[in-house]
């Protein structure tokens, strides 16, 4: 790595920094960025090709014969528009699940951070301990219990297990403790507001940046989940995109003609998340996770 | 709530003891319903089995079988080879993912780096791609006839790599995990780095430290808790390995239906309809995950305590 400028006040070094570029770190980071982006670019290029072009055109050259249109049409015709139903379902599971999860986590985090009560530490340890039980291990018994109560194979079977997020609760607790001032809550109490009202009108507002992070984490987690819907659902009309595309791949491996529109399906399926991600990327407060909250 | 209204007149510390449960209650109840109950149910199932009672017609009834399912599971060679494969994938994935994440985080935090914002977003981006979709995408990138990597090798006159042999498949799967995991871990480590007071660096620079020395002597030790956390996430992720090999399996014969433990659990439970055996196997996976997490914490705690002493 490059040698730094020695013994200079921060302001002066900063002025110097602007002129000289640290080439080695820049190049390494750029290679890392290429490693992450090139496969996605390949996906875009492959989506634009006609089935025949996939095997003949060079990989990174997009097809210009209207392949993308053909692929989207083929994808939309696949089992009379199943793909768009799956997209809708993914939004339903991820949006609904993340919203419910954020509300439950916010309330729990607030409760743990702002009240002293008997059993508080037990509740916290219990919720954190739940992180240690791998979700994958729970999926099978969750399925069995869901079938016992008659919910397996319904939207609820995927939604309900997605609501509790130990990580979300943990983050909300840290965040509530850091940003909500006790004096404000006391002021609310003196004014005679109920505890629930205090939470909604005083506690919630400062927590919003943290809650956006919790929402995003849960949204991505549920959107990306495969095993839970894979186990819970048998009716393909209820599938989210992950499970739907997997079944398409399973059906299509013997037919190279299906490759291009499966690839197009994969490409279109990541667009909403990538868009959400880029739009909201300044709201990601992952410093919460690394435990260095700065109000 | 009426109780709180009267008690608030006495001002602080007079919240009704029921009030906190109003906030914590939903999370606790849902955790019991979706985590504790299934866990207990799995434990019970794992200790039970089906016996065919009576004569010719053979009425099937559920009975307590003690540890029989566990013994069966423990003597199932497929489970242990599955653990072995999982371990290989983990041994490749975790150090490379964390190493790259740490490297990129430290480089992003170095002065005078260009394109930092672009690189950070680009490297974080794969986190938005579901494991199944990433596997599907990489599956095609590995697939002979479509693979751009094989195409490149061919045009350079090199031997075309085969990503789907019994040996190379470990790397192929590890690569999908690394691709998807580096960015998330990098951002956690990077935000942890941003939390460190820059006065520490200025002081070190005044003392004549190079950026490399600052990274090694100041940043790295302060990052240790965040590194432990990312290691824990990666470890749990590896034990749960399921969707990547499952998604790739239609594309290759190198992946059996019991390639990793969770695939075995799936096959036992849903394909072979052996709920009891599946439950016992998944309990073994759970115990392993918890043991591994506790062990990791214990090792790192000892390490850091030793460092202080």
């Amino acid at each position: 790595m490059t040698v730094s400028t020695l013994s200079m006040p921060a302001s002066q070094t900063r002025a110097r920094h602007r002129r000289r570029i640290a080439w080695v770190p820049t190049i390494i980071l750029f290679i890392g960025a290429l490693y992450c982006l090139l496969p996605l670019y390949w996906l875009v290029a492959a989506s634009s090709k006609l089935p025949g072009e996939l095997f003949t055109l060079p990989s990174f050259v997009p097809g210009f014969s209207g392949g993308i249109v053909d692929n989207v049409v083929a994808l939309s015709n696949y089992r009379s528009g199943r793909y768009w139903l799956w997209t809708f379902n993914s939004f339903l599971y991820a949006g609904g699940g993340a919203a419910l999860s954020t509300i439950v986590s916010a309330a729990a985090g607030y409760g743990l951070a702002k009240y002293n009560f008997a059993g508080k530490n037990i509740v916290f340890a219990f919720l954190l301990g739940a992180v240690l039980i791998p979700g994958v291990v729970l999926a099978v018994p969750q399925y069995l219990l869901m079938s016992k109560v008659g919910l397996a194979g319904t939207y609820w079977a995927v939604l309900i297990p997605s609501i509790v997020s130990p990580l979300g609760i943990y983050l909300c607790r840290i965040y509530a403790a850091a940003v909500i001032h006790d004096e404000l809550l006391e002021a609310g109490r003196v004014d005679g507001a109920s505890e629930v009202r205090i939470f909604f009108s005083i506690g919630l507002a400062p927590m919003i940046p943290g809650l956006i992070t919790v929402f995003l984490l849960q949204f991505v987690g549920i959107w990306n989940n495969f095993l839970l819907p894979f186990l819970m659902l048998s009716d393909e009309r209820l599938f989210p995109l992950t499970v739907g595309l997997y079944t398409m791949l399973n059906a299509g491996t013997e037919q190279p003609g299906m490759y291009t529109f499966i690839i197009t399906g994969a490409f279109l399926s990541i667009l909403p998340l990538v868009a959400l991600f880029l739009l909201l990327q300044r709201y990601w407060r992952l410093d919460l996770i690394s435990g260095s909250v700065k109000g | 709530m009426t109780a709180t209204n009267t008690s608030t007149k006495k001002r602080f510390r007079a919240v009704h003891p029921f009030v906190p449960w109003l906030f914590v209650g939903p999370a606790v109840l849902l955790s019991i319903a979706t985590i504790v109950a299934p866990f207990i149910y799995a434990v019970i199932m794992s200790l039970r089995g089906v016996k065919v009672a009576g004569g010719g017609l053979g009425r099937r009834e559920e009975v307590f079988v003690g540890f029989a399912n566990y013994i069966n599971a423990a003597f199932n060679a497929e489970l242990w080879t599955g653990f072995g494969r999982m371990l290989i994938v983990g041994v490749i994935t975790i150090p490379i993912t964390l190493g790259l994440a740490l490297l990129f985080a430290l480089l992003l935090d170095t002065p005078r780096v260009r394109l930092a914002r672009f690189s950070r977003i680009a490297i974080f981006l794969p986190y938005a791609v579901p494991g199944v979709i990433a596997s599907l995408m990489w599956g095609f990138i590995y697939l002979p006839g479509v693979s751009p990597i094989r195409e490149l090798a061919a045009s350079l006159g090199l031997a075309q790599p085969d990503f789907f042999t019994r040996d190379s498949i470990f790397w192929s799967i590890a690569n999908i995990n690394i691709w998807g995991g580096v960015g998330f871990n990098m951002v956690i480590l990077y935000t942890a780095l941003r939390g460190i007071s820059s006065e520490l660096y200025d002081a070190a620079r005044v003392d004549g430290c190079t950026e490399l020395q600052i990274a090694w002597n100041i940043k790295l030790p302060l990052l240790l808790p965040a590194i432990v956390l990312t290691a824990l996430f990666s470890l749990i992720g590896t034990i749960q390995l399921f969707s990547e090999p499952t998604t790739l399996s239609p594309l290759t014969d190198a992946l059996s239906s019991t390639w990793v433990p969770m695939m075995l659990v799936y096959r036992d439970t849903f394909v072979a309809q052996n709920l009891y055996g599946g439950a016992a196997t998944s309990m073994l996976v759970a115990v392993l995950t918890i043991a591994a997490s506790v062990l990791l914490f214990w090792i790192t705690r000892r390490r850091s305590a030793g460092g202080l002493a």
Side-chain angles (χ1 to χ4, degrees):
Chain A
M1 231 172 290
T2 45
V3 183
S4 82
T5 36
L6 300 179
S7 23
M8 248 179 230
S11 55
Q12 231 174 315
T13 38
R14 207 163 294 138
R16 270 271 197 110
H17 291 164
R18 214 152 274 158
R19 260 171 278 138
R20 284 181 26 209
I21 300 170
W23 281 108
V24 176
T26 303
I27 291 167
I28 297 175
L29 279 170
F30 190 70
I31 294 169
L34 283 185
Y35 166 62
C36 292
L37 290 181
L38 275 182
L40 292 173
Y41 172 70
W42 175 85
L43 197 66
V44 179
S47 310
S48 68
K49 289 174 183 171
L50 292 167
E53 290 175 333
L54 186 65
F55 301 95
T56 51
L57 274 185
S59 300
F60 288 102
V61 176
F64 290 107
S65 330
I68 181 76
V69 178
D70 281 25
N71 288 330
V72 173
V73 170
L75 186 67
S76 302
N77 288 338
Y78 180 76
R79 305 211 187 168
S80 49
R82 274 297 135 79
Y83 180 83
W84 301 110
L85 193 59
W86 295 336
T87 308
F88 171 79
N89 291 340
S90 273
F91 272 107
L92 192 76
Y93 294 128
L100 289 171
S101 175
T102 308
I103 296 168
V104 169
S105 301
Y110 173 83
L112 287 167
K114 290 295 156 188
Y115 293 104
N116 273 316
F117 59 99
K120 171 172 153 166
N121 289 329
I122 296 169
V123 169
F124 188 58
F126 162 73
L127 291 171
L128 271 197
V131 188
L132 287 183
I133 303 177
V136 156
V137 169
L138 290 173
V140 171
Q142 275 171 347
Y143 166 76
L144 297 173
L145 280 185
M146 283 290 178
S147 3
K148 282 233 151 137
V149 293
L151 287 176
T154 67
Y155 278 111
W156 298 109
V158 176
L159 262 182
I160 295 172
S162 309
I163 298 174
V164 179
S165 155
L167 181 66
I169 295 168
Y170 172 71
L171 296 181
C172 285
R173 180 192 172 153
I174 298 178
Y175 209 67
V179 299
I180 305 172
H181 299 292
D182 287 327
E183 302 82 57
L184 275 175
L185 301 181
E186 290 301 343
R189 280 179 197 133
V190 171
D191 289 345
S194 75
E195 293 296 317
V196 172
R197 198 164 154 212
I198 290 173
F199 168 62
F200 280 107
S201 56
I202 303 173
L204 218 46
M207 283 178 76
I208 284 173
L211 295 185
I212 293 175
T213 305
V214 171
F215 179 87
L216 287 172
L217 282 171
Q218 274 304 93
F219 191 95
V220 174
I222 301 170
W223 185 281
N224 292 358
N225 200 344
F226 171 68
L227 187 73
L228 185 73
F230 182 61
L231 295 185
M232 290 289 180
L233 306 171
S234 48
D235 182 348
E236 65 166 41
R237 282 172 301 179
L238 300 183
F239 285 174
L241 280 166
T242 48
V243 182
L245 279 164
Y246 168 74
T247 59
M248 259 174 89
L249 179 70
N250 240 342
T253 39
E254 302 304 317
Q255 310 163 43
M258 274 178 81
Y259 284 1
T260 50
F261 76 85
I262 294 176
I263 290 170
T264 306
F267 164 57
L268 293 180
S269 82
I270 60 176
L271 280 185
L273 220 57
V274 167
L276 181 82
F277 187 85
L278 292 177
L279 279 174
L280 295 180
Q281 58 99 17
R282 66 201 185 92
Y283 294 105
W284 282 95
R285 295 289 311 265
L286 290 178
D287 49 337
L288 291 176
I289 297 179
S290 45
S292 57
V293 176
K294 285 177 145 188
Chain B
M1 236 149 314
T2 43
T4 54
N5 277 339
T6 50
S7 60
T8 41
K9 294 204 178 93
K10 284 183 277 163
R11 308 202 32 188
F12 13 77
R13 304 268 158 257
V15 175
H16 189 280
F18 172 72
V19 166
W21 293 98
L22 216 59
F23 295 102
V24 188
V28 171
L29 288 179
L30 279 162
S31 308
I32 291 172
T34 61
I35 298 173
V36 179
F39 191 74
I40 293 172
Y41 189 66
V43 172
I44 293 170
M45 288 290 280
S46 70
L47 297 171
R48 300 180 72 83
V50 165
K51 266 233 171 86
V52 181
L57 282 170
R59 201 161 51 80
R60 288 159 62 88
E61 63 182 31
E62 211 183 81
V63 290
F64 179 79
V65 297
F67 288 99
N69 294 319
Y70 285 96
I71 293 166
N72 279 339
F75 280 102
N76 183 355
E78 278 179 308
L79 176 67
W80 299 110
T81 46
F83 270 127
R85 295 189 191 106
M86 187 196 82
L87 207 65
I88 296 173
V89 175
V91 165
I92 303 172
T93 305
I94 299 175
I96 298 181
T97 307
L98 295 188
L100 286 177
L102 187 62
L103 173 72
F104 293 149
L106 288 170
L107 293 180
L108 281 175
D109 200 45
T110 310
R112 290 170 287 123
V113 168
R114 288 300 163 90
L115 294 171
R117 206 179 121 80
F118 163 78
S119 303
R120 197 189 60 199
I121 295 172
I123 297 171
F124 191 27
L125 201 60
Y127 171 63
V129 180
V132 171
I133 310 298
S135 311
L136 206 153
M137 179 185 79
W138 280 103
F140 282 110
I141 296 178
Y142 297 150
L143 193 70
V146 186
S147 171
I149 304 172
R150 288 171 63 96
E151 182 189 286
L152 182 74
S155 65
L156 293 176
L158 299 169
Q160 298 200 349
D162 186 344
F163 296 97
F164 287 139
T165 69
R166 278 175 193 286
D167 296 325
S168 64
I169 194 78
F170 291 102
W171 293 92
S172 304
I173 288 178
N175 175 55
I176 300 174
N177 292 332
I178 294 165
W179 183 80
V182 166
F184 184 73
N185 290 301
M186 173 194 78
V187 170
I188 291 182
L189 295 175
Y190 176 66
T191 40
L193 274 175
R194 307 296 294 177
I196 301 172
S197 161
S198 62
E199 283 145 33
L200 276 174
Y201 310 145
D202 291 336
R205 281 181 197 125
V206 169
D207 287 346
C209 273
T210 63
E211 290 301 326
L212 197 60
Q213 284 170 328
I214 292 175
W216 185 256
N217 293 319
I218 303 178
K219 293 179 180 176
L220 212 54
L222 288 172
L223 270 186
L224 206 61
I227 295 172
V228 171
L229 193 79
T230 53
L232 189 66
F233 284 150
S234 308
L235 192 69
I236 293 175
T238 302
I239 296 172
Q240 306 200 15
L241 191 65
F242 177 79
S243 56
E244 291 82 3
T246 305
T247 314
L248 288 181
S249 61
L251 296 171
T252 165
D253 294 330
L255 291 162
S256 63
S257 63
T258 57
W259 203 73
V260 280
M262 273 319 297
M263 290 171 78
L264 179 68
V265 171
Y266 175 78
R267 194 205 59 178
D268 281 356
T269 313
F270 292 91
V271 183
Q273 299 277 321
N274 176 9
L275 306 183
Y276 312 98
T281 311
S282 56
M283 289 314 296
L284 287 181
V285 177
V287 168
L288 185 90
T289 312
I290 294 167
S293 313
V294 171
L295 189 73
L296 182 77
F297 265 123
W298 183 72
I299 292 171
T300 47
R301 207 195 50 194
R302 258 176 58 122
R303 211 25 95 65
S304 52
L308 287 172

